[in-house]
Amino acid sequence: MTEHAHAMSMSERADELEEEKMHEMERILSRSTFSYLADGKQEMDVGADLLKKNPGKHFLMGADPRLPPMPEKPTLVDYFRHRFASTAHLLQSAAHALKTGQPEKVVMACLVHDIAIVSFIRCDHGYWGAQMIEPYVDEEISWAVRTHQALRFFPDESVGYGYPDLYKTLFGLDYQPEDYIVDEYQRARKHKWYMTSRLICVNDIYAFDPNMKVNLDDFVDIIGRNFKQPKEGLGFDSSPSAHMWRTILWPSRFL
Ligand SMILES: [Fe+2]
Ligand SMILES: [Fe+2]
């Protein structure tokens, strides 16, 4: 390590490494402003600055060579295998629903209930996840995914669901859901599909076993029956959420 490197803070060093890596690439990668915000920085990549730092290069406008390649017409299963950072929790909750004889719609809802977290974004993940799948699944499934965002904070003794102990550890004893979550819960309570969403929460708490292995292959048929895979490929079908899938496909694309 040079003296110069010693004098730098860890984050400056990380930035420099990132820049060195970028110089090895044929194209200029860019980061979304959101990823800076999540680092606590109100910053953005500026095209002209990046061009100056990378003379003679152009911006990446497609697949990121650092990520696993995806087929030209990707399916939901391809995203599971090559984009989702972890699938164990989704698979375990779906497996629990299947094993306990719950309806196939519930199994499918469990399988995708946290896809926003594993592929995209944490905050308000139920809402994002519902939007991602809405064009491709039965309305009941996307409704249930959206609403589990709120329901998981409220007990329902009729199905043996108490406020999860895990949440006390995760959020602290004093955490109170915000008003928009409370309102969502109250609306959902009266909804005809309430129980579908509630069952996501029930299966959720059985799905954090670090040693349990569930194979995605066991769910390919269920996905086939419950997810309308677009023939153009998921992301290229001009549905209202196709752009979300494309962004997960090409997260470092300039525009
Ligand atoms: Fe969730
Ligand atoms: Fe979950």
Side-chain angles (χ1 to χ4, degrees):
M1 204 185 273
T2 63
E3 294 216 345
H4 167 62
H6 269 298
M8 283 192 293
S9 73
M10 288 288 276
S11 91
E12 281 170 334
R13 181 68 193 141
D15 287 350
E16 189 168 270
L17 280 174
E18 207 169 290
E19 237 180 272
E20 278 169 19
K21 226 194 280 167
M22 179 123 93
H23 284 292
E24 293 163 16
M25 313 274 295
E26 279 175 26
R27 297 237 159 204
I28 308 168
L29 306 180
S30 49
R31 274 176 75 180
S32 297
T33 301
F34 182 77
S35 83
Y36 285 106
L37 286 173
D39 274 346
K41 298 174 186 167
Q42 188 185 1
E43 271 177 32
M44 65 181 281
D45 278 350
V46 176
D49 295 350
L50 282 173
L51 281 177
K52 218 184 285 169
K53 280 188 199 161
N54 296 274
K57 287 190 188 174
H58 300 292
F59 281 102
L60 182 78
M61 286 299 285
D64 186 326
R66 300 167 306 174
L67 287 170
M70 286 277 272
E72 229 172 276
K73 296 180 179 178
T75 64
L76 178 64
V77 170
D78 292 320
Y79 282 91
F80 261 83
R81 294 198 200 283
H82 307 304
R83 283 296 179 274
F84 293 0
S86 170
T87 56
H89 172 66
L90 297 174
L91 292 168
Q92 283 180 28
S93 74
H96 186 268
L98 196 61
K99 199 170 66 194
T100 48
Q102 295 168 31
E104 193 164 284
K105 265 182 204 168
V106 173
V107 178
M108 184 65 197
C110 289
L111 194 61
V112 292
H113 77 283
D114 284 338
I115 54 169
I117 295 182
V118 298
S119 68
F120 195 39
I121 217 160
R122 299 195 75 91
C123 174
D124 273 328
H125 73 285
Y127 297 93
W128 286 105
Q131 244 182 321
M132 287 166 71
I133 59 173
E134 207 143 45
Y136 314 105
V137 296
D138 191 287
E139 207 186 332
E140 184 174 347
I141 295 175
S142 54
W143 185 90
V145 168
R146 176 176 294 106
T147 314
H148 97 277
Q149 172 83 38
L151 289 192
R152 68 214 169 99
F153 293 113
F154 300 89
D156 182 343
E157 297 309 336
S158 80
V159 288
Y161 183 89
Y163 185 79
D165 284 333
L166 175 67
Y167 288 4
K168 294 175 196 160
T169 315
L170 292 179
F171 312 126
L173 292 174
D174 57 346
Y175 174 70
Q176 292 285 344
E178 296 79 1
D179 288 347
Y180 81 98
I181 295 280
V182 178
D183 292 347
E184 190 80 272
Y185 164 68
Q186 277 158 358
R187 280 193 300 273
R189 203 79 181 84
K190 297 178 221 129
H191 198 279
K192 61 180 169 179
W193 293 328
Y194 165 74
M195 197 42 78
T196 310
S197 189
R198 175 53 77 186
L199 286 172
I200 292 180
C201 308
V202 171
N203 293 302
D204 198 50
I205 51 181
Y206 293 97
F208 292 102
D209 182 345
N211 301 311
M212 185 179 170
K213 294 266 176 290
V214 183
N215 197 331
L216 178 62
D217 293 338
D218 298 343
F219 294 92
V220 167
D221 288 347
I222 291 177
I223 292 173
R225 285 192 293 273
N226 292 277
F227 191 90
K228 287 175 224 90
Q229 171 61 42
K231 61 179 185 327
E232 302 89 339
L234 188 51
F236 300 105
D237 49 312
S238 76
S239 86
S241 68
H243 62 287
M244 296 169 80
W245 293 98
R246 284 196 304 273
T247 300
I248 295 165
L249 194 64
W250 299 326
S252 49
R253 190 181 150 115
F254 188 59
L255 288 177

